Amino acid sequence: MTSHRKFADFVPATKIAYVNGRPRTLHLRRCHLAVEPDPAEGRHQRLERTFDQATVTIGAMDDNDVVVVDATVSRYHCRILQEDASYVVQDLGSTNGTFINDVRVREGYLSPGCELRLGNCRIAFNAVNEQVEVTASPLERCGGIIGRNIRMREIFGVIEKISPTGATVVIEGETGTGKEVVAQEIHKQSRRGTRPFIVFDCGAVPESLIESELFGHEKGSITGAIKTRQGRFEMAQGGTIFLDELGELSIDLQPKLLRVLEQREVRRVGASKSIPIDVRVIAATNRVLEDEVRAGRFREDLFYRLSVVRVMLPPLRERTEDVPLLVRHFLSNANYNRDSFGKQKIHHISPAAMRLLESYPWPGNIRELVNVIERACSFADGDNIDIEDLPEALIAQFHGPSTFIQHHTPYPNSSGGIPGPFPDPSALRDMTFKDAKEEWISTFERDYILALLARNDNNISHAAREAEIDRKYFRKLMKKYDIESG
């Protein structure tokens, strides 16, 4: 590569500046191109275009970003790539060559104010750095993302600005916070929105198969490879690849991913030639990547290559004012709340049930909320969700299982009292939250099943029907707690 001075010396890369975990300033780097007039080729005016996307193609064909009508310019002459620290021009095998300040290059760094020459066509290159203050959107949704919380509405503003840029994005947040939904929205609002959006979960594929899944393989290159197969990067050609759970990628595979990002080409397992790719990368992780770098589990160069723009999603417990909004959205749109005619089954949720949902800490975030509402829709009678339709574990978090059974179940134990005994609350103080919750749930489930059986003369079918749960699941609970049917 020709050793021109790197672009980062003049204008910073697209970045978000965070203050106390909140996005404050967005630096947008843009490429400005001006095609100089050439009356001999019919160009009498200076053609000027500004781009914030990662790749700009130049050539004579109409599907280029910059179309140059010139007999000396090839159909697909060259492209300009935005890298973390620079802009780079790459010749695409043109007939008459690509020049930077009259020096012919196959690939070279561009400095502000330099001149590109494509055959006889001259193009002035420059760039601008626009600093935009991140302000909260006035809207309560951004595509499929719902939220009135100030931090969410700030993220809406960030998405609106970064989506068209083509910049690599890393979305950070706890499991279940909606990272894939955010990635999909960035893709939809980008210029690639009509092209493929390919998801790859780095933690769900065996390590021995990840390279083949990501980059593809040739026939016979690995065990079971009976034919040539495209990898996820090739499938995403022209679109976006979403690398979920990036922190799970093994340290041995990270250099190969880095090479793909830097060279913008993939080589299938067993292949001798590389394949050029034009793909935007969005990644997500529930780990703190800086900690992973310090621990030696994640490469520092890959971290900086990926972290062009970082979007940090808050957990649901820090945006509880969004819970009612999310619940109403799920009830209105979820397929599980539709009858056989496609009509909405459940329309309302009681104020008491909503207060409980707003008070719960949601360790599983939005994913857990979705599961709770789906369950409640299946348990509810009529068109209203009430407290008794919510999971017992969630109710016990605030009322205790004994209180719940006393007020919401008519099933006494053999002595006519409330099923029990339940764990002494003071004994739970020395346990972790998870262990204490499991202790409460286990005690509740066992005594609840025993009470149901006693009420129904040990008839499992009748007891399951009373509990409104599947008979097989009822038997599974009996087996779990070594309960005989009598």
Side-chain angles (χ1 to χ4, degrees), residues 301-321:
D301 48 3
L302 179 58
F303 169 73
Y304 286 115
R305 182 64 184 80
L306 285 166
S307 300
V308 176
V309 174
R310 299 169 69 183
V311 177
M312 303 173 188
L313 300 185
L316 188 55
R317 63 181 174 274
E318 295 179 7
R319 45 178 290 222
T320 52
E321 68 267 41

mmCIF file of all heavy atoms in Angstrom, residues 301-321:
data_model
loop_
_atom_site.group_PDB
_atom_site.id
_atom_site.type_symbol
_atom_site.label_atom_id
_atom_site.label_comp_id
_atom_site.label_asym_id
_atom_site.label_seq_id
_atom_site.Cartn_x
_atom_site.Cartn_y
_atom_site.Cartn_z
ATOM 1 N N ASP A 301 -6.366 -5.443 19.146
ATOM 2 C CA ASP A 301 -6.502 -4.873 17.805
ATOM 3 C C ASP A 301 -7.888 -5.132 17.230
ATOM 4 O O ASP A 301 -8.463 -4.274 16.558
ATOM 5 C CB ASP A 301 -5.412 -5.383 16.864
ATOM 6 C CG ASP A 301 -5.238 -6.898 16.913
ATOM 7 O OD1 ASP A 301 -5.998 -7.575 17.638
ATOM 8 O OD2 ASP A 301 -4.322 -7.413 16.238
ATOM 9 N N LEU A 302 -8.464 -6.299 17.511
ATOM 10 C CA LEU A 302 -9.816 -6.585 17.044
ATOM 11 C C LEU A 302 -10.831 -5.716 17.782
ATOM 12 O O LEU A 302 -11.801 -5.236 17.181
ATOM 13 C CB LEU A 302 -10.143 -8.067 17.247
ATOM 14 C CG LEU A 302 -11.545 -8.512 16.818
ATOM 15 C CD1 LEU A 302 -11.801 -8.213 15.348
ATOM 16 C CD2 LEU A 302 -11.750 -10.007 17.110
ATOM 17 N N PHE A 303 -10.605 -5.506 19.065
ATOM 18 C CA PHE A 303 -11.497 -4.649 19.860
ATOM 19 C C PHE A 303 -11.565 -3.251 19.256
ATOM 20 O O PHE A 303 -12.653 -2.696 19.046
ATOM 21 C CB PHE A 303 -11.007 -4.594 21.310
ATOM 22 C CG PHE A 303 -11.692 -3.545 22.145
ATOM 23 C CD1 PHE A 303 -12.999 -3.714 22.558
ATOM 24 C CD2 PHE A 303 -11.014 -2.387 22.501
ATOM 25 C CE1 PHE A 303 -13.630 -2.736 23.321
ATOM 26 C CE2 PHE A 303 -11.633 -1.414 23.267
ATOM 27 C CZ PHE A 303 -12.951 -1.587 23.678
ATOM 28 N N TYR A 304 -10.411 -2.664 18.935
ATOM 29 C CA TYR A 304 -10.403 -1.318 18.385
ATOM 30 C C TYR A 304 -10.931 -1.285 16.947
ATOM 31 O O TYR A 304 -11.534 -0.293 16.522
ATOM 32 C CB TYR A 304 -9.001 -0.715 18.455
ATOM 33 C CG TYR A 304 -8.612 -0.316 19.856
ATOM 34 C CD1 TYR A 304 -7.569 -0.952 20.524
ATOM 35 C CD2 TYR A 304 -9.308 0.686 20.525
ATOM 36 C CE1 TYR A 304 -7.224 -0.598 21.819
ATOM 37 C CE2 TYR A 304 -8.972 1.045 21.823
ATOM 38 C CZ TYR A 304 -7.934 0.401 22.469
ATOM 39 O OH TYR A 304 -7.616 0.754 23.744
ATOM 40 N N ARG A 305 -10.719 -2.372 16.231
ATOM 41 C CA ARG A 305 -11.227 -2.424 14.845
ATOM 42 C C ARG A 305 -12.753 -2.480 14.817
ATOM 43 O O ARG A 305 -13.392 -1.900 13.940
ATOM 44 C CB ARG A 305 -10.639 -3.666 14.140
ATOM 45 C CG ARG A 305 -11.075 -3.788 12.675
ATOM 46 C CD ARG A 305 -10.532 -2.619 11.870
ATOM 47 N NE ARG A 305 -10.973 -2.629 10.501
ATOM 48 C CZ ARG A 305 -12.159 -2.205 10.090
ATOM 49 N NH1 ARG A 305 -13.041 -1.742 10.961
ATOM 50 N NH2 ARG A 305 -12.480 -2.212 8.814
ATOM 51 N N LEU A 306 -13.338 -3.164 15.789
ATOM 52 C CA LEU A 306 -14.789 -3.303 15.829
ATOM 53 C C LEU A 306 -15.478 -2.116 16.488
ATOM 54 O O LEU A 306 -16.577 -1.719 16.104
ATOM 55 C CB LEU A 306 -15.174 -4.578 16.584
ATOM 56 C CG LEU A 306 -14.974 -5.895 15.843
ATOM 57 C CD1 LEU A 306 -15.061 -7.061 16.805
ATOM 58 C CD2 LEU A 306 -16.011 -6.040 14.736
ATOM 59 N N SER A 307 -14.828 -1.536 17.497
ATOM 60 C CA SER A 307 -15.496 -0.529 18.323
ATOM 61 C C SER A 307 -15.446 0.855 17.700
ATOM 62 O O SER A 307 -15.001 1.828 18.337
ATOM 63 C CB SER A 307 -14.865 -0.515 19.719
ATOM 64 O OG SER A 307 -14.996 -1.772 20.331
ATOM 65 N N VAL A 308 -15.874 0.965 16.461
ATOM 66 C CA VAL A 308 -15.947 2.275 15.822
ATOM 67 C C VAL A 308 -17.045 3.089 16.503
ATOM 68 O O VAL A 308 -16.848 4.224 16.920
ATOM 69 C CB VAL A 308 -16.215 2.126 14.314
ATOM 70 C CG1 VAL A 308 -16.379 3.498 13.660
ATOM 71 C CG2 VAL A 308 -15.081 1.352 13.652
ATOM 72 N N VAL A 309 -18.231 2.496 16.613
ATOM 73 C CA VAL A 309 -19.338 3.116 17.337
ATOM 74 C C VAL A 309 -19.865 2.096 18.335
ATOM 75 O O VAL A 309 -20.133 0.949 17.966
ATOM 76 C CB VAL A 309 -20.473 3.543 16.381
ATOM 77 C CG1 VAL A 309 -21.678 4.041 17.172
ATOM 78 C CG2 VAL A 309 -19.991 4.626 15.430
ATOM 79 N N ARG A 310 -20.001 2.515 19.595
ATOM 80 C CA ARG A 310 -20.500 1.621 20.639
ATOM 81 C C ARG A 310 -21.824 2.163 21.168
ATOM 82 O O ARG A 310 -21.930 3.329 21.539
ATOM 83 C CB ARG A 310 -19.479 1.488 21.770
ATOM 84 C CG ARG A 310 -18.158 0.904 21.294
ATOM 85 C CD ARG A 310 -17.072 1.032 22.342
ATOM 86 N NE ARG A 310 -17.310 0.171 23.488
ATOM 87 C CZ ARG A 310 -16.526 0.155 24.567
ATOM 88 N NH1 ARG A 310 -15.493 0.971 24.641
ATOM 89 N NH2 ARG A 310 -16.792 -0.667 25.555
ATOM 90 N N VAL A 311 -22.814 1.300 21.185
ATOM 91 C CA VAL A 311 -24.144 1.650 21.697
ATOM 92 C C VAL A 311 -24.393 0.812 22.943
ATOM 93 O O VAL A 311 -24.310 -0.423 22.888
ATOM 94 C CB VAL A 311 -25.241 1.380 20.649
ATOM 95 C CG1 VAL A 311 -26.618 1.670 21.219
ATOM 96 C CG2 VAL A 311 -25.000 2.221 19.399
ATOM 97 N N MET A 312 -24.692 1.464 24.054
ATOM 98 C CA MET A 312 -24.848 0.764 25.330
ATOM 99 C C MET A 312 -26.310 0.771 25.744
ATOM 100 O O MET A 312 -26.893 1.832 25.992
ATOM 101 C CB MET A 312 -23.980 1.435 26.400
ATOM 102 C CG MET A 312 -22.506 1.489 26.020
ATOM 103 S SD MET A 312 -21.509 2.450 27.175
ATOM 104 C CE MET A 312 -19.929 2.507 26.302
ATOM 105 N N LEU A 313 -26.914 -0.422 25.819
ATOM 106 C CA LEU A 313 -28.328 -0.543 26.166
ATOM 107 C C LEU A 313 -28.499 -0.694 27.679
ATOM 108 O O LEU A 313 -27.840 -1.529 28.294
ATOM 109 C CB LEU A 313 -28.945 -1.755 25.463
ATOM 110 C CG LEU A 313 -28.915 -1.763 23.939
ATOM 111 C CD1 LEU A 313 -29.674 -2.974 23.407
ATOM 112 C CD2 LEU A 313 -29.519 -0.483 23.377
ATOM 113 N N PRO A 314 -29.405 0.066 28.271
ATOM 114 C CA PRO A 314 -29.631 -0.065 29.721
ATOM 115 C C PRO A 314 -30.469 -1.306 30.023
ATOM 116 O O PRO A 314 -31.299 -1.713 29.204
ATOM 117 C CB PRO A 314 -30.409 1.206 30.067
ATOM 118 C CG PRO A 314 -31.139 1.551 28.806
ATOM 119 C CD PRO A 314 -30.226 1.133 27.679
ATOM 120 N N PRO A 315 -30.283 -1.923 31.199
ATOM 121 C CA PRO A 315 -31.144 -3.042 31.590
ATOM 122 C C PRO A 315 -32.553 -2.545 31.895
ATOM 123 O O PRO A 315 -32.766 -1.356 32.172
ATOM 124 C CB PRO A 315 -30.456 -3.584 32.846
ATOM 125 C CG PRO A 315 -29.686 -2.430 33.395
ATOM 126 C CD PRO A 315 -29.262 -1.609 32.208
ATOM 127 N N LEU A 316 -33.519 -3.445 31.866
ATOM 128 C CA LEU A 316 -34.911 -3.060 32.061
ATOM 129 C C LEU A 316 -35.157 -2.492 33.454
ATOM 130 O O LEU A 316 -36.018 -1.624 33.625
ATOM 131 C CB LEU A 316 -35.818 -4.277 31.814
ATOM 132 C CG LEU A 316 -37.329 -4.011 31.801
ATOM 133 C CD1 LEU A 316 -37.690 -2.921 30.802
ATOM 134 C CD2 LEU A 316 -38.091 -5.297 31.489
ATOM 135 N N ARG A 317 -34.413 -2.948 34.452
ATOM 136 C CA ARG A 317 -34.612 -2.434 35.815
ATOM 137 C C ARG A 317 -34.256 -0.960 35.933
ATOM 138 O O ARG A 317 -34.661 -0.288 36.893
ATOM 139 C CB ARG A 317 -33.777 -3.247 36.817
ATOM 140 C CG ARG A 317 -32.278 -3.161 36.612
ATOM 141 C CD ARG A 317 -31.499 -4.002 37.603
ATOM 142 N NE ARG A 317 -30.078 -4.014 37.288
ATOM 143 C CZ ARG A 317 -29.507 -4.851 36.427
ATOM 144 N NH1 ARG A 317 -30.271 -5.765 35.809
ATOM 145 N NH2 ARG A 317 -28.212 -4.802 36.182
ATOM 146 N N GLU A 318 -33.503 -0.428 34.977
ATOM 147 C CA GLU A 318 -33.149 0.988 34.987
ATOM 148 C C GLU A 318 -34.067 1.819 34.095
ATOM 149 O O GLU A 318 -33.843 3.025 33.927
ATOM 150 C CB GLU A 318 -31.690 1.171 34.560
ATOM 151 C CG GLU A 318 -30.686 0.546 35.533
ATOM 152 C CD GLU A 318 -29.246 0.706 35.074
ATOM 153 O OE1 GLU A 318 -29.016 1.411 34.066
ATOM 154 O OE2 GLU A 318 -28.349 0.125 35.714
ATOM 155 N N ARG A 319 -35.078 1.188 33.535
ATOM 156 C CA ARG A 319 -36.035 1.903 32.682
ATOM 157 C C ARG A 319 -37.438 1.344 32.909
ATOM 158 O O ARG A 319 -38.173 1.025 31.970
ATOM 159 C CB ARG A 319 -35.632 1.797 31.211
ATOM 160 C CG ARG A 319 -35.221 0.405 30.760
ATOM 161 C CD ARG A 319 -34.872 0.320 29.307
ATOM 162 N NE ARG A 319 -35.990 0.470 28.423
ATOM 163 C CZ ARG A 319 -36.204 -0.278 27.324
ATOM 164 N NH1 ARG A 319 -35.361 -1.234 26.996
ATOM 165 N NH2 ARG A 319 -37.248 -0.062 26.567
ATOM 166 N N THR A 320 -37.817 1.197 34.195
ATOM 167 C CA THR A 320 -39.086 0.546 34.536
ATOM 168 C C THR A 320 -40.298 1.334 34.052
ATOM 169 O O THR A 320 -41.388 0.769 33.937
ATOM 170 C CB THR A 320 -39.195 0.329 36.055
ATOM 171 O OG1 THR A 320 -38.938 1.567 36.737
ATOM 172 C CG2 THR A 320 -38.187 -0.712 36.525
ATOM 173 N N GLU A 321 -40.131 2.640 33.766
ATOM 174 C CA GLU A 321 -41.261 3.388 33.219
ATOM 175 C C GLU A 321 -41.651 2.902 31.829
ATOM 176 O O GLU A 321 -42.724 3.242 31.313
ATOM 177 C CB GLU A 321 -40.946 4.892 33.171
ATOM 178 C CG GLU A 321 -39.868 5.305 32.189
ATOM 179 C CD GLU A 321 -38.485 5.379 32.813
ATOM 180 O OE1 GLU A 321 -38.160 4.492 33.623
ATOM 181 O OE2 GLU A 321 -37.735 6.310 32.486
#
